[in-house]
Amino acid sequence: MKLILLGPPGAGKGTQAERIAERYSIAHISTGDMLRAEIKAETPLGVEAKSLIDRGELVPDEIIIGMVKNRIGMPDCENGFLLDGFPRTIAQAESLMGFTGIDRAVCIEVPDESIVGRMSKRRVCPNCKRTYTVDVLEPDEDGGYTCLDCGTKLIARDDDRPETVQHRLNVYAEQTFPLIDFFEARELLSRVDGDKSMDEVADSIFELFE
Ligand code: ADP
Ligand code: ZN
């Protein structure tokens, strides 16, 4: 199964992607996670990507396309894959459809008003990468939060600052939102209501495939 997960930043793509990939035994490919790994390893690509990401800009298409094409060729993708955070532009989508077939693009729809609030509450574990919405956690004595899986102190992502979030939403509206029409025109699009609990959203995604 070859899937794409679409939706605005903060729609819960990462969380849903993990669940879907696990359920269908397919590889979870998150371009955001791949880029953050490059940043952490301080590779030339990581250094270039960091300044763009921190400003809420997209990384150039050629770089991302090369990265995904290479990743999809790896052995763990033989059974299929789920793309999370890619494609983000029409150019990326056209290129993708040129080098692989796609079975379905699932769009998680969330009203704009919900997104900024969600992203200000987002924290991530720097060790195991699990993401949280602080609502589900009890604060530590210092007001911070700790990962339930590995006990590491959670952090907010640099690009989740309110100024950057607004810019990312503009970039989404201009460059990524048109992909919904792109996949609809190819009869590959399914929509799910993302303004619900993580479990409810997961259930409506699984229903699409049953
Ligand atoms: P979110 O889903 O919260 O918006 P991601 O973790 O998917 O964030 O991506 C973080 C950042 O990485 C993006 O804002 C962008 O700068 C960069 N990025 C990720 N995927 C792509 C892509 N397909 N094309 C261009 N830039 C990307
Ligand atoms: Zn952790």
Side-chain angles (χ1 to χ4, degrees):
M1 192 151 61
K2 297 174 177 177
L3 304 177
I4 295 172
L5 205 52
L6 294 173
K13 291 193 296 292
T15 308
Q16 299 302 339
E18 256 161 50
R19 296 183 185 200
I20 298 166
E22 194 183 351
R23 176 134 169 171
Y24 300 110
S25 305
I26 54 180
H28 173 195
I29 303 178
S30 160
T31 45
D33 285 350
M34 290 170 81
L35 291 169
R36 284 184 287 274
E38 298 279 343
I39 293 172
K40 202 172 170 199
E42 295 177 11
T43 65
L45 166 58
V47 173
E48 186 185 343
K50 182 167 173 30
S51 66
L52 293 166
I53 292 176
D54 286 352
R55 281 182 281 132
E57 302 290 347
L58 296 182
V59 172
D61 286 337
E62 317 81 71
I63 294 180
I64 285 286
I65 291 167
M67 220 172 70
V68 171
K69 197 171 179 182
N70 180 46
R71 179 70 189 80
I72 282 177
M74 291 184 183
D76 66 325
C77 294
E78 267 166 30
N79 194 31
F81 52 78
L82 173 69
L83 293 169
D84 159 16
F86 181 94
R88 248 184 169 87
T89 63
I90 293 282
Q92 291 178 16
E94 281 173 344
S95 168
L96 175 71
M97 303 301 275
F99 61 78
T100 181
I102 288 295
D103 297 309
R104 191 131 295 273
V106 178
C107 177
I108 304 179
E109 301 189 300
V110 183
D112 280 352
E113 314 84 78
S114 305
I115 293 173
V116 179
R118 281 188 186 206
M119 289 167 88
S120 64
K121 293 184 196 166
R122 178 155 72 180
R123 298 291 182 280
V124 57
C125 173
N127 179 44
C128 75
K129 307 288 173 251
R130 181 166 171 192
T131 53
Y132 295 89
T133 303
V134 295
D135 297 345
V136 307
L137 298 168
E138 287 295 328
D140 302 334
E141 275 171 18
D142 62 2
Y145 299 91
T146 298
C147 180
L148 299 175
D149 283 345
C150 75
T152 306
K153 204 83 181 160
L154 302 182
I155 56 172
R157 269 166 44 178
D158 287 340
D159 59 342
D160 281 345
R161 287 186 307 261
E163 322 83 83
T164 314
V165 166
Q166 192 48 56
H167 185 61
R168 286 165 65 200
L169 290 174
N170 295 343
V171 170
Y172 176 80
E174 281 163 25
Q175 309 227 48
T176 310
F177 186 75
L179 293 180
I180 295 176
D181 278 349
F182 178 95
F183 288 108
E184 188 147 70
R186 286 159 183 76
E187 296 184 357
L188 291 172
L189 190 79
S190 299
R191 301 168 191 266
V192 299
D193 180 0
D195 207 16
K196 293 187 179 161
S197 75
M198 287 295 177
D199 286 339
E200 287 170 308
V201 178
D203 286 342
S204 27
I205 295 175
F206 296 145
E207 272 171 26
L208 296 174
F209 301 109
E210 263 134 47

